[in-house]
Amino acid sequence: MWPGICRIRKTREAFVDAYGGTYRLFAQVLAGWGLDYEVVPISDLAAVQERLAVRPTRCVWAETPTNPLLNIADIRGLAQAAHEAGAMLVVDNTFASPYLQQPLTLGADVVVHSTTKYLGGHSDVIGGAVVFADAELAARVAFVQNATGGVAGPFDAWLTLRGIRTLAARMDRHCRNAMRIAQMLAEHPAVAEVFYPGLPSHPGHKIAQEQMRAFGGMVSFRLQAGEEAAVRTCGRTRVFTLAESLGGVESLIEHPARMTHASVTGTALAVPGDLIRLSVGIEDCDDLIHDLRQALPSQ
């Protein structure tokens, strides 16, 4: 299994990224069960094909967009490459949600979601979902799920279903707000770089246009003034709440290197210290922009 990895744009250093919990699962849990994995830049289809040609592989694991650098993988291309090598493609679709992107229709074999995030939408449930293209594989996993007890409680299931009923309306608002904020940040003198696939400058913009309905509610950016300035900025917002998680109706801000991605510090998946990640909520966008402007360092 390979977590998705991509490089930050327009910088001298090359960074790779994947959800911190994915790294913990692969490196600290599954590795003890004999799982071997390799990190490959998942947005670089040629690099994936090169590794598949020389290394027997059972599964290619990809996030798109990635967490927290919002890089985009070509799902259709990855599916073809994986299948030609005799592997399956699993796509973590949490950032996009099924409203914005349907990996199974693009050739993926399995899709995973954190229902804690956009599907639940209200930061009040913890859960996950796995969706299969193959009924036989789904039955095998359902057997393991039943045998091990990895099932949602009735109230958790109800909360998730409640959230799904408003998914389309919420995602439309998340996307509109995130686009405006990304555009504002791209023009702000304190900001060194913005990561949002909706910006034409994003290297994955064209692929995102082809496989996504819109570009999502997650925005990440780096500050000119460095890590300590990023930490201070996270602490100065008033509408954005300093917290981990994402995908709820409320706007959140966090410092990935010290919060959600602290577990990858010192590894190939370490994220830059000057990075800030936003989960843009559905509040009035003018309020959100004003909050960020007052929190950002003055030049």
Side-chain angles (χ1 to χ4, degrees), residues 67-68 218-220 245-246 252-254 256 260 276-279:
N67 182 0
M218 302 299 298
V219 179
S220 294
S245 197
L246 59 98
L252 303 179
I253 188 170
E254 67 129 355
T260 53
I276 293 172
R277 192 190 74 180
L278 305 176
S279 175

Side-chain angles (χ1 to χ4, degrees), residues 221-296:
F221 62 100
R222 300 180 69 182
L223 289 186
Q224 300 277 11
E227 181 170 354
E228 293 305 319
V231 173
R232 290 192 297 270
T233 296
C234 290
R236 283 199 293 259
T237 58
R238 295 296 176 263
V239 181
F240 281 84
T241 299
L242 177 63
E244 296 190 7
S245 197
L246 59 98
V249 293
E250 70 286 340
S251 292
L252 303 179
I253 188 170
E254 67 129 355
H255 185 256
R258 301 190 184 189
M259 297 173 70
T260 53
H261 290 69
S263 63
V264 300
T265 300
T267 75
L269 296 173
V271 298
D274 57 5
L275 186 75
I276 293 172
R277 192 190 74 180
L278 305 176
S279 175
V280 180
I282 66 171
E283 302 94 338
D284 181 85
C285 197
D286 290 338
D287 290 343
L288 296 175
I289 288 175
H290 175 76
D291 190 38
L292 289 171
R293 287 189 184 279
Q294 64 83 29
L296 286 165

Side-chain angles (χ1 to χ4, degrees), residues 2-90:
W2 298 349
I5 304 164
C6 304
R7 294 182 177 85
I8 281 185
R9 302 170 287 117
K10 300 178 183 177
T11 61
R12 295 182 180 179
E13 298 176 273
F15 292 92
V16 296
D17 71 318
Y19 171 49
T22 299
Y23 170 77
R24 290 194 302 272
L25 177 64
F26 287 1
Q28 300 176 331
V29 177
L30 298 181
W33 298 355
L35 175 77
D36 188 21
Y37 69 94
E38 182 177 349
V39 167
V40 178
I42 210 69
S43 62
D44 186 343
L45 184 57
V48 174
Q49 292 171 322
E50 178 182 341
R51 295 310 301 158
L52 287 171
V54 299
R55 174 180 176 138
T57 303
R58 298 288 299 276
C59 174
V60 176
W61 182 285
E63 299 171 11
T64 184
T66 60
N67 182 0
L69 298 180
L70 283 301
N71 285 284
I72 301 297
D74 179 352
I75 297 173
R76 196 182 301 277
L78 285 179
Q80 181 177 345
H83 296 159
E84 288 176 352
M88 70 171 59
L89 174 64
V90 180

Side-chain angles (χ1 to χ4, degrees), residues 33-207:
W33 298 355
L35 175 77
D36 188 21
Y37 69 94
E38 182 177 349
V39 167
V40 178
I42 210 69
S43 62
D44 186 343
L45 184 57
V48 174
Q49 292 171 322
E50 178 182 341
R51 295 310 301 158
L52 287 171
V54 299
R55 174 180 176 138
T57 303
R58 298 288 299 276
C59 174
V60 176
W61 182 285
E63 299 171 11
T64 184
T66 60
N67 182 0
L69 298 180
L70 283 301
N71 285 284
I72 301 297
D74 179 352
I75 297 173
R76 196 182 301 277
L78 285 179
Q80 181 177 345
H83 296 159
E84 288 176 352
M88 70 171 59
L89 174 64
V90 180
V91 176
D92 184 336
N93 201 40
T94 296
F95 267 27
S97 85
Y99 179 69
L100 299 183
Q101 181 171 264
Q102 296 86 42
L104 294 186
T105 66
L106 299 171
D109 301 285
V110 183
V111 177
V112 296
H113 298 274
S114 171
T115 59
T116 307
K117 311 305 194 298
Y118 286 109
L119 285 170
H122 294 79
S123 303
D124 55 8
V125 64
I126 295 176
V130 187
V131 187
F132 300 89
D134 180 71
E136 181 180 350
L137 180 59
R140 287 167 55 193
V141 173
F143 175 83
V144 174
Q145 183 186 38
N146 181 66
T148 60
V151 296
F155 189 62
D156 291 332
W158 181 86
L159 287 172
T160 302
L161 289 171
R162 178 205 60 180
I164 291 172
R165 293 188 183 102
T166 62
L167 179 64
R170 288 186 286 105
M171 293 308 298
D172 286 341
R173 182 63 172 253
H174 285 302
C175 293
R176 288 198 300 270
N177 283 356
M179 178 65 82
R180 284 189 59 193
I181 286 172
Q183 291 169 337
M184 181 276 289
L185 291 170
E187 298 174 355
H188 198 286
V191 175
E193 187 172 12
V194 179
F195 304 91
Y196 186 65
L199 296 177
S201 59
H202 190 286
H205 177 69
K206 185 176 184 298
I207 294 175

